[in-house]
Amino acid sequence: MNDWTKTGLFVATALGICVACFGTHFATQPKVAPTENLVGKPLFESLEAEQVKSLEVVARDPVTQTLRRFKVENRDGVWRIPSHHNYPAEAAKRLFETATALYGVERLALNGQWTEDQSRFGVVAPDSEAADSADVEAIGQRVILRDGSDEILADLIVGKPADNDVSHSRDDAFDPAKQKRKRFNVRRGDETATYVANLNINLSTRFADWIEPDLLQVDQPEINKLVIDNYELQIRDELTNRGTVRRIGKLDKDRHVLTREKAFDPWNLDGLNAEKEELNNETLSKILDLLDEMAIVGVRPKVQLEGKPLLNADLSINTDFETYRTDPAKFQEAILDLQSELMEYGFNVVPGNEQGEKATFYSNRGEFYVSTNQGIAYNLYFGDSVLGSDEEIEIGGPKVALAGEKPTTEGSTETSPSADANEKEVAASSNPPDPTKTDPSKPTKKNRYLMVRVTFDPAALGPEPVEPKKPEEPVKPEGYVAAPTPAEPAPPATPDAAPTPPVDNRDPAFIKYDEQIAEHKLAQQKFEMDLDQFKRDSEDYKNRRQEGERASKRLGDRFGAWFYVIAAEDLESLQIPRTDLVRPKATDALENGEIPPAPIELPMRPDISM
């Protein structure tokens, strides 16, 4: 091998080594993703809030890792919740803020480019296969906005807060108390890259967060009457020449009526022995707080016919159906279905008859009446218990009677109008829940069914203002002569004597008329003040009546098509016996040998005399 050949080999080897080095260098350089060019641009450039016709939130339960979807849709101008029997989504503020939260949101920085980065920033899609095995902190919450054609307008996964404080979890993004933390890791559903973005959003898959949870929408100062009616029902079926007729008897137990005239007046209890008893204001305050804060935890639709509820808002039978006029047998079958459903939830309705008797509504657990100074009257009907997971409580599931509860009194019989209802009752009673074998992934909570009837009661407004009567002017006597101008009194006879008053020598009738004129002048002044007050009171009464009529109609329409589910402890707090409403007076406690509370000892006043 000559020198030129050796040189050529050395040069070729050197070139190969150089190529390899360059290749290794470029292969180990960070990959530059084209997504870096998107920083500073909106996540959803063409999104317009008015295009949004549906909104879906997808998340994993942080405890059970169960996938939860919650969707609201705009149907005919009304936002509804399809998964919850199309119940209206009344939380207008949340709807608006969620629907507009993604509008104009910009990518502030690129945090991760690849799929492997998503766990670190908490933007793993909750409905992906990767979420099945991912840590809870790696999974984000997803919000999807669609238009009227069901086309996706925006699809965003919100992850952990994008700051250096690692002590806060991804759930901070959905805590209203921490809304100041607005920088989050986010990822579009159709991209792998994770960005930082400013968001003011509060996502939730809880039914209560998307409705108006305040059931009664009543303010405590407006309440002026409470009636606690803890009756029981006795139901029996009688065989008559017209067939089987259901008889429902109402067995009165505790019934308590409390009233007050004005907002801060003391409450009065019918039948209170004022000499020995007094109201337990602590118990009464708890009742008022509960009425003010009673919240919805679940809903069920009422039986419908021809697209309308069979029960009116006032809980009477609705007969405004073509079927009622053309097919009485089919209408009667619908009534039996209604009765079966009501019995399943712990209620009963007795239809009216041709003799003019109106339909009567009963509940197995008694009633509670509330009225306000606007004339709004609520009747709360307490049904049976409902037990189940959050989802079963919200939208329904197998109905189970709790152990020890009886829908009617002993000795009564209760037969279901339909075989299907009988089968449901048998299945529930023969397979009661075993609390020791509860599925830990489905926590159970005790609640009760509730029906609400709202009417307008003018008597609750209080007495209508009465216009004051204008005082009549006294009749001037014939030949009346006015009193003369008072002359200077005669000087006293002695320095210690009183001045002699002038003498009025006119007819006594004239003198009496002058006195009547003075009294009439005072009466006229009082009349004018009373008339001004009457006008103010009449205007207030008129406004309260108009507002009460409108509110009663609005609330009646809201409650008319639904059964509600309320926390059991709330309703049980309203069904209290008289012994919880009253207590012995303090003087009686001393007579009975009870030890009164120790007096409060005040510190001695310091001596500041000088």
Side-chain angles (χ1 to χ4, degrees):
M1 180 180 298
N2 56 34
D3 291 339
W4 287 105
T5 303
K6 291 180 181 180
T7 302
L9 289 174
F10 286 136
V11 172
T13 302
L15 288 174
I17 293 173
C18 290
V19 171
C21 290
F22 277 111
T24 304
H25 171 76
F26 286 109
T28 57
Q29 288 300 302
K31 298 179 181 179
V32 179
T35 50
E36 288 186 354
N37 298 327
L38 298 178
V39 172
K41 295 183 179 180
L43 281 163
F44 307 101
E45 294 186 3
S46 60
L47 177 63
E48 297 290 343
E50 59 271 14
Q51 296 175 308
V52 179
K53 297 301 180 183
S54 77
L55 183 156
E56 183 177 13
V57 179
V58 187
R60 293 268 179 164
D61 187 286
V63 177
T64 65
Q65 284 289 289
T66 305
L67 182 66
R68 298 201 64 176
R69 292 181 179 272
F70 194 89
K71 189 175 184 179
V72 291
E73 294 181 346
N74 190 317
R75 298 183 178 181
D76 300 325
V78 178
W79 285 92
R80 298 187 180 276
I81 307 171
S83 60
H84 290 64
H85 313 290
N86 288 318
Y87 191 82
E90 302 158 314
K93 182 179 179 182
R94 177 181 289 272
L95 277 167
F96 175 79
E97 290 180 350
T98 306
T100 58
L102 306 187
Y103 176 74
V105 175
E106 292 184 357
R107 301 170 171 90
L108 301 180
L110 178 67
N111 256 5
Q113 306 176 49
W114 316 113
T115 303
E116 296 78 21
D117 300 325
Q118 295 172 8
S119 297
R120 183 156 55 100
F121 299 114
V123 291
V124 174
D127 50 352
S128 66
E129 293 183 2
D132 295 336
S133 57
D135 183 78
V136 63
E137 290 295 321
I139 304 172
Q141 297 197 11
R142 191 171 197 164
V143 56
I144 305 171
L145 307 181
R146 293 181 173 88
D147 62 15
S149 302
D150 209 33
E151 294 292 331
I152 293 179
L153 298 172
D155 180 2
L156 188 69
I157 301 162
V158 183
K160 297 177 182 178
D163 55 28
N164 296 325
D165 188 353
V166 296
S167 65
H168 291 83
S169 69
R170 176 258 312 159
D171 290 334
D172 290 351
F174 314 105
D175 186 345
K178 300 175 181 177
Q179 281 300 299
K180 292 182 179 180
R181 308 175 61 83
K182 295 182 179 180
R183 292 170 64 92
F184 300 105
N185 288 285
V186 299
R187 178 173 70 86
R188 282 182 50 138
D190 57 354
E191 295 179 355
T192 59
T194 303
Y195 293 93
V196 176
N198 281 334
L199 282 179
N200 186 7
I201 194 169
N202 182 18
L203 301 179
S204 174
T205 58
R206 293 180 64 250
F207 170 62
D209 291 336
W210 292 92
I211 64 171
E212 171 54 66
D214 184 1
L215 178 66
L216 302 183
Q217 300 179 11
V218 62
D219 294 327
Q220 286 192 35
E222 298 175 352
I223 299 175
N224 57 16
K225 186 175 182 179
L226 304 172
V227 180
I228 305 169
D229 196 355
N230 296 328
Y231 63 75
E232 287 186 357
L233 295 183
Q234 188 172 23
I235 305 173
R236 67 183 187 276
D237 290 338
E238 290 185 359
L239 187 63
T240 68
N241 56 0
R242 295 181 298 162
T244 301
V245 177
R246 170 158 294 172
R247 306 291 186 188
I248 299 180
K250 183 177 174 182
L251 302 180
D252 290 325
K253 291 179 66 181
D254 291 335
R255 190 174 190 274
H256 323 301
V257 180
L258 298 110
T259 56
R260 65 178 177 184
E261 289 187 8
K262 297 180 181 178
F264 300 103
D265 286 354
W267 285 90
N268 300 307
L269 173 65
D270 285 5
L272 182 74
N273 186 341
E275 295 181 357
K276 296 184 177 182
E277 297 176 320
E278 64 183 5
L279 274 176
N280 188 333
N281 289 321
E282 182 179 349
T283 300
L284 192 54
S285 294
K286 289 180 179 178
I287 292 176
L288 294 172
D289 288 342
L290 178 58
L291 293 171
D292 192 12
E293 300 168 1
M294 187 179 294
I296 301 169
V297 297
V299 291
R300 310 286 188 276
K302 293 177 183 175
V303 169
Q304 294 196 350
L305 180 66
E306 299 176 8
K308 295 182 293 186
L310 267 170
L311 275 181
N312 292 316
D314 62 358
L315 302 186
S316 62
I317 300 294
N318 184 7
T319 58
D320 186 23
F321 297 102
E322 184 67 23
T323 303
Y324 177 75
R325 295 180 288 272
T326 61
D327 194 344
K330 184 177 180 181
F331 183 78
Q332 184 61 29
E333 183 180 347
I335 294 297
L336 293 178
D337 289 340
L338 171 64
Q339 289 179 314
S340 176
E341 179 183 63
L342 290 172
M343 288 174 56
E344 183 181 353
Y345 295 142
F347 307 105
N348 284 275
V349 62
V350 179
N353 56 33
E354 297 177 355
Q355 285 71 41
E357 293 183 8
K358 295 184 177 180
T360 308
F361 190 87
Y362 299 100
S363 61
N364 289 352
R365 307 294 171 189
E367 301 175 22
F368 196 100
Y369 173 89
V370 187
S371 69
T372 73
N373 58 12
Q374 290 184 334
I376 305 172
Y378 302 82
N379 282 86
L380 311 181
Y381 298 89
F382 305 145
D384 287 341
S385 298
V386 54
L387 193 69
S389 65
D390 288 343
E391 183 177 357
E392 290 169 340
I393 289 168
E394 288 179 3
I395 61 175
K399 182 180 181 295
V400 180
L402 294 184
E405 290 196 345
K406 297 179 180 180
T408 56
T409 58
E410 289 185 8
S412 66
T413 60
E414 193 172 306
T415 59
S416 173
S418 70
D420 290 343
N422 273 326
E423 291 173 3
K424 291 178 183 177
E425 295 295 334
V426 171
S429 60
S430 61
N431 297 287
D434 184 350
T436 64
K437 298 181 179 180
T438 302
D439 184 351
S441 67
K442 285 189 173 185
T444 56
K445 299 177 182 179
K446 184 181 177 183
N447 298 270
R448 281 195 181 277
Y449 292 109
L450 175 75
M451 290 188 70
V452 184
R453 178 168 67 98
V454 178
T455 55
F456 178 72
D457 184 2
L461 293 169
E464 188 171 358
V466 178
E467 185 173 359
K469 187 177 180 181
K470 186 176 182 179
E472 295 182 2
E473 293 188 15
V475 178
K476 182 185 294 187
E478 186 176 353
Y480 169 77
V481 176
T485 302
E488 291 290 333
T494 63
D496 298 332
T500 303
V503 178
D504 190 347
N505 296 321
R506 293 180 303 151
D507 189 318
F510 300 166
I511 298 174
K512 183 177 181 180
Y513 174 72
D514 286 346
E515 294 172 351
Q516 292 173 337
I517 285 294
E519 293 174 355
H520 177 266
K521 183 177 181 180
L522 294 175
Q524 181 66 24
Q525 291 175 347
K526 183 178 184 303
F527 164 75
E528 291 174 357
M529 289 188 296
D530 291 345
L531 184 62
D532 289 341
Q533 185 64 46
F534 164 75
K535 292 178 180 178
R536 290 192 294 269
D537 291 345
S538 296
E539 186 67 20
D540 175 69
Y541 183 89
K542 176 184 175 182
N543 292 336
R544 286 191 294 116
R545 178 168 188 135
Q546 291 177 345
E547 177 59 28
E549 289 174 342
R550 287 194 297 265
S552 299
K553 175 65 167 59
R554 173 176 54 81
L555 290 168
D557 292 342
R558 181 191 184 206
F559 297 132
W562 303 97
F563 297 102
Y564 291 93
V565 180
I566 306 296
E569 58 267 24
D570 288 353
L571 297 189
E572 289 165 0
S573 297
L574 298 177
Q575 296 177 291
I576 58 175
R578 190 179 189 278
T579 52
D580 290 345
L581 273 176
V582 299
R583 61 188 176 193
K585 272 195 169 180
T587 53
D588 293 330
L590 290 174
E591 293 175 0
N592 295 332
E594 298 178 11
I595 301 176
I600 300 175
E601 295 186 2
L602 298 175
M604 296 184 64
R605 182 177 299 174
D607 185 3
I608 58 174
S609 60
M610 298 182 66

